[in-house]
Amino acid sequence: DAGVTQSPTHLIKTRGQHVTLRCSPISGHKSVSWYQQVLGQGPQFIFQYYEKEERGRGNFPDRFSARQFPNYSSELNVNALLLGDSALYLCASSLVGIGNTEAFFGQGTRLTVV
Amino acid sequence: RKEVEQDPGPFNVPEGATVAFNCTYSNSASQSFFWYRQDCRKEPKLLMSVYSSGNEDGRFTAQLNRASQYISLLIRDSKLSDSATYLCVVNGGGGSYIPTFGRGTSLIVHP
């Protein structure tokens, strides 16, 4: 069975550009969460979606947005990229939309903003 | 005070040693707790959930102390393959299920 898949795996963008990151959850999982991890820190929660509805939002600016599609895949969009947006972006899927269940992470998208 | 705090380490121990990590959290209403393991440049993977009564999985023991608001992870008989970063995760509190990760504790097991 396929795990959580993210694309692309690596990405280089310039300041001011826009980026879209994609995530496909494990089959049967209806919840997708997005995290940002900078070097030396733990993952920081950005968004959680369950059944195509936003269920949680972390402390990130409005430049960050996301959505979940009918097949439960998800996109994370970041506008007006800043150098500080350089990080590993992780997607996690879980069976249900509450945080008490195990989350399975994808391998991440490593974004570099230059 | 950070919501979830961990000593970043690194903890440098010989094979066979016993090592313990603590993680403190600030929200007394937090409802669920986990330990994740993250290898270098890889994604986090669930190591174990932490239950109120404490739980054990082989060489790993997790405990929760709600009164003092910390969770712990004990690793016995350390193996070289245990070298990784260990992340604690705290969920919930105040009607929210937003998970909060600690910054992680680095463990290096040497021969």
Side-chain angles (χ1 to χ4, degrees):
Chain A
D1 284 340
V4 179
T5 57
Q6 291 186 244
S7 63
T9 55
H10 295 82
L11 200 54
I12 299 175
K13 290 284 191 177
T14 57
R15 280 177 297 176
Q17 283 189 311
H18 161 91
V19 68
T20 297
L21 310 181
R22 295 179 174 84
C23 172
S24 293
I26 291 171
S27 177
H29 284 195
K30 298 181 178 181
S31 177
V32 170
S33 299
W34 288 95
Y35 297 81
Q36 180 195 67
Q37 187 175 26
V38 299
L39 197 62
Q41 300 294 322
Q44 297 296 307
F45 175 80
I46 310 176
F47 288 108
Q48 183 185 67
Y49 277 78
Y50 176 67
E51 286 283 16
K52 302 176 287 294
E53 290 189 4
E54 183 184 300
R55 290 298 184 92
R57 174 184 286 252
N59 189 22
F60 279 80
D62 292 344
R63 299 184 295 108
F64 288 77
S65 63
R67 54 181 175 167
Q68 187 176 33
F69 298 100
N71 66 354
Y72 302 111
S73 67
S74 178
E75 283 183 355
L76 175 70
N77 296 283
V78 187
N79 292 324
L81 285 166
L82 303 174
L83 295 180
D85 295 331
S86 296
L88 178 67
Y89 288 85
L90 293 161
C91 170
S93 83
S94 55
L95 198 57
V96 295
I98 58 175
N100 290 357
T101 59
E102 177 180 359
F104 297 83
F105 285 86
Q107 82 282 8
T109 293
R110 194 165 296 279
L111 172 66
T112 302
V113 183
V114 297
Chain B
R1 181 183 174 187
K2 286 189 175 180
E3 290 185 58
V4 178
E5 293 201 62
Q6 291 183 256
D7 180 347
F11 285 62
N12 208 317
V13 302
E15 273 186 289
T18 295
V19 62
F21 309 135
N22 280 344
C23 169
T24 59
Y25 60 95
S26 60
N27 187 344
S28 60
S30 296
Q31 299 183 4
S32 59
F33 310 87
F34 304 89
W35 283 102
Y36 277 74
R37 169 192 169 131
Q38 186 172 27
D39 293 297
C40 188
R41 303 186 74 80
K42 297 284 190 180
E43 74 274 20
K45 293 184 179 179
L46 180 69
L47 180 65
M48 57 198 306
S49 302
V50 186
Y51 303 122
S52 296
S53 55
N55 47 302
E56 187 173 309
D57 183 3
R59 298 181 294 108
F60 299 84
T61 301
Q63 291 191 313
L64 166 63
N65 185 318
R66 284 192 182 272
S68 300
Q69 293 180 210
Y70 74 85
I71 64 173
S72 64
L73 177 68
L74 181 77
I75 305 175
R76 292 180 298 279
D77 188 24
S78 299
K79 311 292 184 189
L80 296 177
S81 58
D82 293 334
S83 297
T85 296
Y86 292 84
L87 299 158
C88 74
V89 184
V90 176
N91 280 347
S96 163
Y97 288 98
I98 290 178
T100 304
F101 281 74
R103 64 176 296 179
T105 297
S106 175
L107 172 65
I108 301 170
V109 182
H110 58 82

